[in-house]
Amino acid sequence: MMCDLSRELTDIQKQALFKIAVDLVKADKQIHRDEVALLDRLQRTCGMSVGDLEFIHYISLQQAVSTFKMASEQCKRAVLDVLESIVGIDNDIDSRENLLLAAIRMCLENSSCGWCTIVSTSDIEAECLSEQIVYLEQSEQSEVAAVLNDKYDYLLLSKALEDVGLQLFYLPNVISELKDQWSGLDVQGEGFDLLRRSMEFIVPVGDRERLSDLSNTLERMDVKTFYKVICSRYNIEIDRIPYSGFLMVKVEDNYLLEDDGRLVKSVDFLCIDISHSVKQRILHFVALLERAVNLISYQGYYRLLYDYLSSEAKILSSVAIDHRGDFRLVDLDNELLRFESAPQAKSLYLLLLRYGRTGVSQECFEKALGYLNNVEVVSVMHSEQFSVEQFKQRLVELNSDWSKLIYNLIAIYEQLSTKDSGKGSFLSYISKIIQHRSALKNYVNTGFAEVHHLANAEQYHIKFDKTLKTYYVDLSPALVFIQNADGVITPITKHDQWNRLIV
């Protein structure tokens, strides 16, 4: 790239490029050896003599940038590439370097060069801060006022600038803030006394009569007047900036050699015309100042995300029961849960899920088993004449905890098994579920425990409270869903069959 520049640039442009390159190197107030090496290569490539190097101390940043205004797009792109390589060579882009580079880019790139310029001025005694960006105007700008006087637009733009280290100074808002702060102190006409007194302490008093009438002075102050104040204090000719309404930010301090050999301090400002497309132009500037972050946080929510993305990630997963009765873990790629004695184990699980944290007592199970083992019911199991609906109705009529338990278990097992509920033998499977509940509990817990990436697997388990002698499931029903043959998923708590169970 440097070889191309040596052929394309004029001698004046080479000096201008070197001037800008040196300014970028010293912008962060420290010089890296790799930066010096790059400047050395640039000097040799451009064939610049010692005299050529001395000349760069006589030209301002404004003059240097203006030499490229009429250059070809290819030439300007090559220049910017060199400058960007200088800023990044020490792997530590300082905010001052970043601001200076952004200003140069805006003045050279076709997308913004028509509404941006560098203004260099010297012999400034007043303080200039790079951390503030001020809005100024030479004539009233209705489009700018409509944006900056809108509290939401102002908040958006001031926050965007703040995020890249710049405080927006918009005079109407500043005056409004002063009035708000001191109007509350208005006791017998002394509303601005705090401001007046503080000014007496921190700045020369000057015209005491004027100082005593701060309220009227602030009322008369507007952005156009403030522009004249800035021009006076910063030694800028009033018509030097070609924009009616603009933002101005200092990009660097400098020193220039005068023809008589005197070294004078100068300041370089970036001026951005925002008399049109206010928000777009400000955000364009902000985008150039935003730097890609190459550091990765590994704490808090970031760590949770990275752990989840890693091979060892574990997650609390929802459970979907499909139309075949299979239990699948939705958040683990629909992994199939495998249970020994599956229909019976699943039926016991859903039964206990329905009873929630209260669970089902050992005593209730025993009473239910006793009923199913009595002579009358056993005879029904061997009968060809059997109506499951009539049997369930009878259980409802009994209206006891144990009869409701049997009713619920029958309703669940009808949906999960392939057994014919029209035969009396169907009841024998219900009896076996209750009888072998301890073994089925272990089958369910083993099934969940074998899923490697399931977080808090014990939360899904069937548990037994030894004190209360109760079986229960801790899992919230909100994590369980029913999936029909078309793939439509419904929360189990909103499913008709769930709500028909009696608890």
Side-chain angles (χ1 to χ4, degrees):
M1 186 61 69
M2 289 188 183
C3 294
D4 295 335
L5 285 176
S6 67
R7 292 191 294 269
E8 289 191 33
L9 300 184
T10 64
D11 290 342
I12 295 297
Q13 287 176 330
K14 290 176 183 178
Q15 291 170 340
L17 171 59
F18 211 86
K19 153 69 179 176
I20 299 171
V22 169
D23 281 2
L24 278 171
V25 165
K26 64 184 183 180
D28 61 356
K29 309 303 181 185
Q30 55 185 355
I31 299 177
H32 192 275
R33 63 180 182 182
D34 290 341
E35 293 173 328
V36 175
L38 192 149
L39 290 176
D40 188 56
R41 291 200 304 274
L42 182 61
Q43 179 189 356
R44 292 198 306 270
T45 302
C46 292
M48 297 177 65
S49 65
V50 175
D52 292 330
L53 290 183
E54 289 181 356
F55 180 75
I56 71 173
H57 301 295
Y58 290 88
I59 60 177
S60 68
L61 182 65
Q62 178 181 351
Q63 293 169 325
V65 172
S66 66
T67 62
F68 297 106
K69 282 283 189 178
M70 303 307 294
S72 67
E73 174 64 18
Q74 180 180 355
C75 176
K76 288 192 284 189
R77 183 65 261 170
V79 167
L80 288 173
D81 286 343
V82 170
L83 300 178
E84 287 170 1
S85 67
I86 291 172
V87 169
I89 197 168
D90 60 358
N91 297 314
D92 181 22
I93 302 178
D94 183 83
S95 59
R96 291 164 293 193
E97 291 177 310
N98 201 35
L99 177 59
L100 178 56
L101 180 60
I104 296 165
R105 285 182 62 181
M106 291 188 71
C107 292
L108 295 186
E109 290 181 340
N110 286 344
S111 59
S112 54
C113 63
W115 41 274
C116 293
T117 191
I118 297 287
V119 171
S120 299
T121 183
S122 56
D123 291 330
I124 293 181
E125 299 298 331
E127 180 184 42
C128 301
L129 293 178
S130 296
E131 294 79 17
Q132 292 182 343
I133 183 167
V134 61
Y135 172 70
L136 301 169
E137 61 185 28
Q138 301 187 54
S139 59
E140 189 170 331
Q141 300 297 307
S142 57
E143 183 176 338
V144 178
V147 173
L148 296 185
N149 290 336
D150 182 282
K151 63 180 181 179
Y152 298 109
D153 283 340
Y154 181 82
L155 181 62
L156 166 72
L157 296 174
S158 60
K159 179 63 168 63
L161 288 165
E162 182 182 319
D163 287 344
V164 293
L166 295 175
Q167 177 191 18
L168 176 58
F169 187 99
Y170 179 54
L171 185 68
N173 281 8
V174 172
I175 292 176
S176 178
E177 288 171 5
L178 290 175
K179 289 180 178 178
D180 289 343
Q181 288 178 26
W182 285 296
S183 60
L185 301 172
D186 196 357
V187 180
Q188 297 180 348
E190 297 297 322
F192 281 82
D193 187 63
L194 177 60
L195 177 60
R196 179 180 62 80
R197 291 292 291 156
S198 63
M199 289 179 65
E200 289 178 346
F201 289 131
I202 62 178
V203 296
V205 173
D207 188 342
R208 286 187 175 276
E209 183 176 343
R210 184 177 181 183
L211 191 60
S212 66
D213 193 22
L214 279 176
S215 180
N216 289 330
T217 303
L218 283 173
E219 288 291 344
R220 293 191 300 271
M221 174 66 77
D222 59 18
V223 181
K224 296 189 293 296
T225 303
F226 194 58
Y227 172 56
K228 294 175 183 176
V229 172
I230 295 296
C231 287
S232 300
R233 299 301 302 275
Y234 287 177
N235 199 25
I236 300 173
E237 293 87 350
I238 199 74
D239 58 351
R240 187 173 175 189
I241 301 173
Y243 309 132
S244 300
F246 60 96
L247 289 172
M248 187 170 79
V249 59
K250 185 187 83 170
V251 293
E252 68 169 342
D253 291 313
N254 233 318
Y255 286 93
L256 294 177
L257 278 173
E258 295 288 334
D259 291 339
D260 59 4
R262 287 186 304 112
L263 195 65
V264 296
K265 181 181 179 181
S266 71
V267 178
D268 302 311
F269 296 96
L270 169 66
C271 297
I272 306 171
D273 178 10
I274 59 168
S275 57
H276 304 288
S277 307
V278 182
K279 288 188 280 190
Q280 294 90 327
R281 291 182 178 182
I282 294 176
L283 294 177
H284 179 92
F285 172 56
V286 168
L288 291 181
L289 290 176
E290 291 175 334
R291 288 175 286 172
V293 178
N294 295 319
L295 299 176
I296 298 178
S297 175
Y298 187 59
Q299 60 181 343
Y301 296 113
Y302 291 95
R303 180 168 182 172
L304 294 180
L305 174 62
Y306 303 147
D307 286 348
Y308 170 66
L309 295 175
S310 75
S311 60
E312 294 302 315
K314 293 192 175 185
I315 187 172
L316 192 70
S317 177
S318 297
V319 178
I321 305 169
D322 64 23
H323 64 285
R324 294 183 297 271
D326 288 334
F327 282 37
R328 295 186 177 274
L329 296 170
V330 177
D331 301 290
L332 289 173
D333 297 324
N334 285 321
E335 183 172 340
L336 177 66
L337 282 163
R338 303 182 186 278
F339 304 123
E340 192 173 339
S341 298
Q344 293 93 330
K346 294 173 185 175
S347 297
L348 177 64
Y349 190 77
L350 290 181
L351 175 77
L352 295 174
L353 185 69
R354 185 66 180 88
Y355 281 85
R357 185 64 180 81
T358 302
V360 179
S361 69
Q362 182 91 288
E363 181 182 10
C364 185
F365 273 122
E366 292 298 337
K367 286 182 178 180
L369 185 60
Y371 178 75
L372 290 173
N373 286 340
N374 70 33
V375 176
E376 181 183 347
V377 177
V378 170
S379 66
V380 171
M381 292 182 188
H382 295 89
S383 172
E384 292 299 324
Q385 300 297 320
F386 174 72
S387 170
V388 73
E389 294 304 322
Q390 289 180 4
F391 189 80
K392 287 196 292 185
Q393 183 59 39
R394 172 61 179 156
L395 293 170
V396 172
E397 292 169 357
L398 289 171
N399 193 30
S400 66
D401 290 343
W402 55 265
S403 64
K404 293 175 184 177
L405 172 67
I406 299 172
Y407 173 93
N408 292 334
L409 199 48
I410 290 173
I412 294 170
Y413 194 66
E414 279 184 298
Q415 299 300 317
L416 292 178
S417 77
T418 57
K419 306 302 180 184
D420 185 358
S421 62
K423 293 182 180 180
S425 58
F426 182 82
L427 294 180
S428 64
Y429 296 104
I430 304 301
S431 178
K432 289 176 182 177
I433 292 173
I434 297 174
Q435 181 181 356
H436 300 297
R437 59 189 179 276
S438 181
L440 296 175
K441 164 182 169 290
N442 293 333
Y443 295 155
V444 167
N445 295 351
T446 299
F448 281 110
E450 288 178 347
V451 181
H452 180 60
H453 293 105
L454 181 62
N456 301 325
E458 57 281 350
Q459 180 178 330
Y460 295 78
H461 289 181
I462 296 175
K463 299 174 183 177
F464 181 71
D465 187 319
K466 293 181 180 179
T467 303
L468 300 175
K469 299 190 182 307
T470 300
Y471 291 87
Y472 66 96
V473 170
D474 251 343
L475 189 71
S476 168
L479 285 173
V480 183
F481 298 82
I482 302 294
Q483 184 177 26
N484 65 18
D486 296 326
V488 177
I489 293 181
T490 305
I492 196 170
T493 55
K494 296 184 181 300
H495 203 272
D496 290 341
Q497 293 168 356
W498 175 268
N499 290 315
R500 282 199 291 266
L501 301 179
I502 307 170
V503 178

